[in-house]
Amino acid sequence: MKVGLIDDEIIVMEPGDRYKALTQYMRWDKRTKSLRARATLERLNGLAGIFTLPRTLSALRERLQRKQAMIEKLRADENPRPLMDFPIKPGIKLFTHQIRAVNMCLTEFGQDEHKGFGLLFEMGLGKSLTAVTIMGCLHEMRRIKRVLVVAPTSVVAVWPKELQAFASFPWRAKALVGDKKHRLEALYELEEWQHSGIDVAVVNYETVHRDWMLDALLEYNPDLIIADESQRIKTNGAKQSKAMHKLGDRAKYKLILSGTPVQNNAVDLYSQYRFLNSAVFGTNFYSFKNRYCIMGGFQRHQIVGYQNEDELIKKVHSIALRVTKAEALDLPPQTFETRWIVFSPKERKIYDQLRRDGIAELENAAAITATTVLTKLLRLQQFTGGFLPDESGRAMPQNTAKLDALADILEDYVVEASRKLVIFARFTAEIEAIEAMLRKKKIAFGAIHGDIPIAERGDIVKDFQENPDTLVFIAQLQCAGLGITLTAASMAVYYSLNFNYADYAQSLARIHRIGQKDNCHYINLVAENSVDMRVMEALEAKGDIAKKLVDDWRKYFE
């Protein structure tokens, strides 16, 4: 029997009477007439029980044992210290679980290539900051030059903002949005102009499998690929999953970011780990099912149970860190996230015209008061929410930018994780659009707005608090004030806001109050370069908004 190691792959030729035993760990390759398999610690341990490992394999086994022991030591460390100076901006503080994750990831990558790591953090625990830190560390170590981030559509525009907020290392990012021409041009710009930092391309899952995009991304040849909300590639046979597998096979390093890696059953993990590191579960989906699933039902096509569960769990966690809010003990009671919304060129043109019209009308006004400024800003706020009134006052749809972003949040948090969510919105037309989407998705919800009689509101709140099937609560800002308790949810989305700080403060307290057992996370949907940004700035300042609207009214139209 001849045994060798080439490019991290174990090769056994002329296995003789050991063939059957070896096939537990290796696959026969007809072309080369040999047994082959990626070198993993588990596999080497198994092979060591069949034959005496040659010196090269024995040395590799010892090295992998040391690395695995170090990773488990880092996992258990209650007070981890950074393994190196993290290249993030001054004032940015990583929590304990984030430091632990970065240390474990860098150790897993070691001096090897074609490795991956999973950041399996619940929503609100800082997956993006952790990923940016890992990205920067790999750059400082001269391991990576090009990065690809694949994310849900509504998150694509967020990544350049996250880099701007956190990264102290040099970087350049392009969000690949728009039509085919604009997406490819943005990618080619990254490739064309050389610089000393990292190039980061960000694209959505729905585009990555297109032939023209996949070919361009393969040519881009990223060193690190980040799959944000990686449950989007849980279906092994889906086109976007296959595209990610193909890209992942060529990349040096890979990260998956997900709070809900498993939705329906354990097979959800296979495709994500096939991308992350194919050595963990192999490249054959049916072998995975045969190993871990018990099949039954019609023609044995239905999963009716699981087997070898301890082995499955051990493998999943071998290259990942799972963190829940309950485990993140140093997390503050409230955390905030901005989900940036980007208009299409056509939508941006309409918004800019509305803005210019508002400025012109105020410049020609006899007197400027807070009321007149708010009236002009109202149209801009209505547009960012997706509607404008026609001449009769009826709300007419203009765009679905925020609705699409909310759909992504619902998919990841409510549908996938079965968690409760509160949505705050200002305008009736927005609430009606959200309700229609929830009905279409068959998500049970409750709502309080101006048309709901006060006498009925208590029962609606009680249903949300006590009924496990009611997953979403929609609250109009002006109607969800004092006395309403929504602690069944620990996350809220602000679809739209007004300039009233009292309304905002009261809404924050709907989920963050006595009876809340979890840390609260808030997501603000903010249209980029719009009045939404000015509203957030005004609310954060907590000052005399009426005076500012009069004295600095032009600022709010910038």
Side-chain angles (χ1 to χ4, degrees), residues 327-525:
E327 295 167 327
L329 300 179
D330 56 343
L331 197 71
Q334 293 174 297
T335 53
F336 298 84
E337 172 189 345
T338 298
R339 190 69 62 93
W340 296 96
I341 309 301
V342 179
F343 289 140
S344 69
K346 181 180 178 180
E347 292 161 356
R348 170 56 59 184
K349 186 176 180 181
I350 295 172
Y351 179 88
D352 287 343
Q353 185 59 54
L354 290 170
R355 181 179 59 82
R356 287 191 293 268
D357 291 345
I359 292 173
E361 290 174 19
L362 286 172
E363 285 178 335
N364 294 323
I368 295 178
T369 66
T371 302
T372 58
V373 176
L374 285 171
T375 300
K376 302 307 175 187
L377 289 173
L378 181 66
R379 286 180 64 80
L380 297 181
Q381 291 176 283
Q382 290 171 328
F383 184 81
T384 64
F387 296 87
L388 281 178
D390 61 13
E391 293 180 357
S392 66
R394 184 176 58 174
M396 302 300 293
Q398 299 294 316
N399 65 78
T400 61
K402 284 191 177 181
L403 202 63
D404 294 341
L406 180 60
D408 280 339
I409 295 170
L410 288 168
E411 182 67 26
D412 297 329
Y413 190 77
V414 177
V415 176
E416 298 273 359
S418 296
R419 301 290 296 272
K420 293 204 174 198
L421 176 70
V422 174
I423 303 169
F424 292 106
R426 178 182 178 185
F427 301 109
T428 301
E430 296 172 338
I431 293 172
E432 291 174 348
I434 295 168
E435 289 178 340
M437 180 173 67
L438 291 171
R439 291 190 188 98
K440 187 175 181 180
K441 291 178 175 290
K442 297 181 180 179
I443 298 174
F445 66 92
I448 287 181
H449 48 78
D451 293 335
I452 302 295
I454 294 176
E456 297 178 10
R457 297 180 184 181
D459 289 339
I460 296 172
V461 171
K462 183 179 179 181
D463 178 69
F464 178 72
Q465 287 287 92
E466 299 178 1
N467 186 347
D469 296 327
T470 304
L471 294 174
V472 175
F473 192 93
I474 309 168
Q476 192 165 30
L477 274 171
Q478 306 90 312
C479 302
L482 292 169
I484 295 179
T485 297
L486 301 172
T487 51
S490 61
M491 191 169 94
V493 173
Y494 285 96
Y495 197 89
S496 56
L497 284 162
N498 57 31
F499 283 95
N500 189 320
Y501 180 76
D503 285 348
Y504 180 56
Q506 289 294 335
S507 65
L508 290 173
R510 294 315 94 212
I511 64 172
H512 183 247
R513 59 194 297 109
I514 294 173
Q516 180 57 263
K517 298 177 182 179
D518 296 322
N519 303 87
C520 294
H521 186 62
Y522 304 88
I523 298 178
N524 292 299
L525 302 185

Side-chain angles (χ1 to χ4, degrees), residues 119-127 258-260 322-326 419:
L119 303 178
L120 309 183
F121 300 179
E122 282 190 343
M123 186 173 283
L125 296 186
K127 294 187 289 290
S258 178
T260 54
R322 173 62 173 169
V323 185
T324 64
K325 286 184 177 180
R419 301 290 296 272

Side-chain angles (χ1 to χ4, degrees), residues 118-175:
L119 303 178
L120 309 183
F121 300 179
E122 282 190 343
M123 186 173 283
L125 296 186
K127 294 187 289 290
S128 298
L129 171 56
T130 309
V132 169
T133 305
I134 292 169
M135 188 190 305
C137 289
L138 291 174
H139 172 259
E140 295 288 310
M141 297 162 71
R142 301 182 184 277
R143 301 278 189 85
I144 63 172
K145 173 64 179 174
R146 290 179 174 176
V147 177
L148 171 66
V149 179
V150 186
T153 302
S154 67
V155 185
V156 169
V158 175
W159 273 91
K161 301 284 186 182
E162 301 281 48
L163 285 160
Q164 187 174 19
F166 304 138
S168 65
F169 55 89
W171 59 274
R172 180 177 56 180
K174 291 286 185 180

Side-chain angles (χ1 to χ4, degrees), residues 212-246:
W212 52 271
M213 179 54 76
L214 181 57
D215 289 343
L217 293 175
L218 288 169
E219 185 177 340
Y220 176 64
N221 195 23
D223 303 305
L224 169 66
I225 303 178
I226 300 173
D228 192 4
E229 303 297 348
S230 62
Q231 66 273 11
R232 298 300 178 91
I233 58 168
K234 68 185 180 186
T235 304
N236 184 61
K239 290 182 179 179
Q240 60 194 33
S241 299
K242 290 180 177 180
M244 291 295 287
H245 299 164
K246 191 171 185 178

Side-chain angles (χ1 to χ4, degrees), residues 9 20 24 80 103 116 175 241 297 314 386 417 488 506 546 550:
E9 186 178 37
K20 186 175 181 180
Q24 298 177 68
N103 288 348
S241 299
K314 184 178 179 180
Q506 289 294 335
V550 174

